[in-house]
Amino acid sequence: MSFDLSVIPHKNIILAVTGGIAAYKSAILVRRLKDAGFSVRVVMTKGAQAFITPLTFQALSGNPVHTELLDTEAEAGMGHIELARWADLILVAPASCDTLAKFAAGLADDLLSTLYLATNAPVWVAPAMNQQMWAAKATQRNLTTLVEDGVHVIMPDAGEQACGDVGLGRMPEPEDLALQVTQYFHQAQRALVEKFGMLAGKNVTITAGPTREALDPVRYISNHSTGKMGFSLAAACYAAGAKVTLIAGPVSLDTPNGVQRINVSSAIQMLDTSLQMLEQGCDIFIATAAVADYRVAEIAEHKIKKSGDELNVALVKNPDIVATIAQQKKRPFMVGFAAETRNVEQYAAGKLVAKKLDMIACNDVSRADIGFASDENAMTVFFAESYRMEKRDLEKASKQEIAQQLVEAIHDALYRDPSQDDEF
């Protein structure tokens, strides 16, 4: 069975592992949550460490494992209060009978029970225990209390248990738990979308316009990009509920309402600013800018004087901004643009794969009616293979209308329902 969930950027999951043989499934669960795009930190009780080592979870999550409430080394980094604030969701899997009792009673004698009381994040528990312990009146009473307190209880599966008994008490499979978590965030986002817009709550960074690569203090290399498509997209993303930062090359366009604008000139400046936005938190990166492929190897300190019929200038390759951002650890949803004069779709599909993008929009700039300076455009949109989405042809329309259709395409890719994947 394949496991292919759409990425949900910048959601933080604390996976709490308690004592029980089902702890071995939690190691697989970390991998599945990571596959789905979550950042995962693991908290282990002493009982859990009797079944599986913290080193296993550290290797799988890529983060230190938290085991002690009063750990001076941990407090100097991410202490229990910071850990509680970091989480977007706390998932306790497996949740032992003892842990359920502590939560229900409000005890705080170890790291996990303290986290439970200190967090504002949703808390989910996946109980795993002997079938008789599950059926015990005290356990059921504790579960009723937890549900009343707002804890989401994932019902255990029935089947043969490690002790030889048969009945309710088995922890659900890691793939099922990861899918439930993913669907929860999809549903929460859909509620935001219905209330505030298709990109509600998203931080969007857009690059637009040309770059200028200086030859000397008065001359430069550039291109014909006007920035109109990028500015139209910035306005459309803001209208869709996003917080938008527009990194603009040298263009003569008014800043769209509600959009933060940062002016740059060269490709290096645009890349540096893009990386800064990534560090500040970026969910969607849209690269519409026509970035110069090359820059002058050495900019002349003074104006170059005419001398002879030829001027030879050494050029060096500029960094590929969209490919660089796509390779970062905190990778946002990546949207690229391809402005071509021939073999448009073929080149665009190649860039989509080579640069590891989620989506790419391409157009034929050799056409006079939709070129750089035109107020209209027509595009074809391709999606990465993992999204299982057909290409979209956006017929000739105003750049504002094309921008709205691109926002819809981004939304559809971000919030597709993974449960509809035929091969899941």
Side-chain angles (χ1 to χ4, degrees):
M1 178 176 65
S2 66
F3 191 88
D4 178 26
L5 299 178
S6 59
V7 174
I8 304 178
H10 307 305
K11 292 299 182 183
N12 301 324
I13 307 294
I14 289 178
L15 175 62
V17 186
T18 70
I21 188 60
Y24 81 91
K25 290 184 178 180
S26 302
I28 304 170
L29 178 55
V30 171
R31 177 61 62 82
R32 295 300 181 238
L33 291 170
K34 293 277 288 182
D35 288 345
F38 296 105
S39 296
V40 182
R41 291 184 180 271
V42 177
V43 168
M44 298 182 72
T45 65
K46 291 188 181 298
Q49 295 173 67
F51 290 90
I52 193 168
T53 68
L55 185 60
T56 298
F57 288 109
Q58 180 174 320
L60 291 170
S61 70
N63 290 311
V65 175
H66 303 267
T67 59
E68 299 293 337
L69 174 59
L70 301 176
D71 185 334
T72 54
E73 185 174 330
E75 291 296 329
M78 180 169 279
H80 65 282
I81 298 299
E82 274 303 305
L83 199 58
R85 292 171 178 166
W86 177 85
D88 292 308
L89 183 144
I90 296 177
L91 171 60
V92 187
S96 66
C97 192
D98 178 65
T99 298
L100 299 178
K102 283 183 178 181
F103 285 3
L107 296 179
D109 63 350
D110 63 5
L111 176 57
L112 177 54
S113 56
T114 303
L115 279 176
Y116 171 71
L117 296 177
T119 191
N120 287 322
V123 177
W124 291 17
V125 295
M129 61 194 72
N130 168 267
Q131 56 87 23
Q132 187 56 52
M133 294 176 71
W134 168 258
K137 291 182 179 179
T139 301
Q140 293 304 309
R141 186 167 59 247
N142 289 335
L143 288 166
T144 298
T145 298
L146 292 179
V147 171
E148 290 173 352
D149 289 344
V151 175
H152 176 63
V153 178
I154 301 171
M155 288 294 292
D157 290 340
E160 185 177 352
Q161 300 182 319
C163 62
D165 286 357
V166 177
L168 281 173
R170 290 168 54 91
M171 186 175 112
E173 294 305 308
E175 291 81 2
D176 295 334
L177 292 175
L179 180 59
Q180 288 187 48
V181 171
T182 304
Q183 289 177 327
Y184 165 78
F185 283 108
H186 274 286
Q187 290 163 4
Q189 186 65 40
R190 277 196 290 269
L192 269 179
V193 165
E194 290 174 3
K195 188 173 182 180
F196 298 110
M198 285 187 289
L199 299 183
K202 295 298 183 185
N203 292 319
V204 178
T205 297
I206 301 174
T207 64
T211 62
R212 288 179 179 173
E213 308 301 330
L215 287 167
D216 61 24
V218 297
R219 299 183 180 92
Y220 55 82
I221 300 171
S222 191
N223 57 62
H224 295 296
S225 174
T226 63
K228 288 181 179 179
M229 192 68 248
F231 276 63
S232 295
L233 261 170
C237 288
Y238 178 75
K243 179 181 177 182
V244 182
T245 300
L246 178 62
I247 304 173
V251 296
S252 300
L253 295 172
D254 292 332
T255 305
N257 179 52
V259 172
Q260 178 191 12
R261 178 175 177 174
I262 302 174
N263 292 322
V264 298
S265 182
S266 69
I268 296 295
Q269 291 172 348
M270 186 171 281
L271 174 59
D272 289 344
T273 306
S274 297
L275 290 170
Q276 290 172 20
M277 292 302 101
L278 196 63
E279 285 301 314
Q280 294 177 24
C282 173
D283 301 309
I284 303 168
F285 188 90
I286 306 175
T288 72
V291 181
D293 293 326
Y294 294 89
R295 67 183 185 276
V296 178
E298 186 174 348
I299 302 171
E301 184 177 354
H302 300 288
K303 179 181 176 182
I304 300 171
K305 298 297 183 179
K306 287 190 293 185
S307 60
D309 294 332
E310 294 183 358
L311 173 65
N312 294 317
V313 179
L315 301 178
V316 294
K317 193 173 184 179
N318 267 325
D320 189 318
I321 294 176
V322 69
T324 300
I325 298 298
Q327 292 170 2
Q328 301 302 305
K329 184 176 181 181
K330 294 181 179 178
R331 181 188 184 281
F333 182 88
M334 297 297 305
V335 182
F337 275 67
E340 303 289 351
T341 58
R342 60 190 177 91
N343 300 328
V344 177
E345 293 193 11
Q346 179 183 344
Y347 286 143
K351 287 181 179 179
L352 177 70
V353 175
K355 299 186 180 185
K356 299 181 179 178
L357 307 180
D358 297 290
M359 172 177 148
I360 193 166
C362 61
N363 64 330
D364 185 350
V365 292
S366 68
R367 287 174 54 179
D369 59 332
I370 61 169
F372 279 126
S374 174
D375 290 326
E376 295 183 310
N377 213 339
M379 311 201 85
T380 301
V381 178
F382 294 91
F383 303 90
E385 185 177 351
S386 61
Y387 289 92
R388 298 187 176 92
M389 295 174 65
E390 297 293 331
K391 75 171 185 176
R392 297 188 183 185
D393 291 314
L394 310 185
E395 299 298 330
K396 182 180 175 180
S398 71
K399 287 186 175 177
Q400 290 78 14
E401 292 178 78
I402 293 293
Q404 179 60 38
Q405 293 181 65
L406 288 171
V407 166
E408 292 171 3
I410 292 169
H411 165 268
D412 292 348
L414 279 173
Y415 304 124
R416 67 184 182 86
D417 187 349
S419 66
Q420 299 303 311
D421 288 350
D422 294 335
E423 296 180 13
F424 185 87

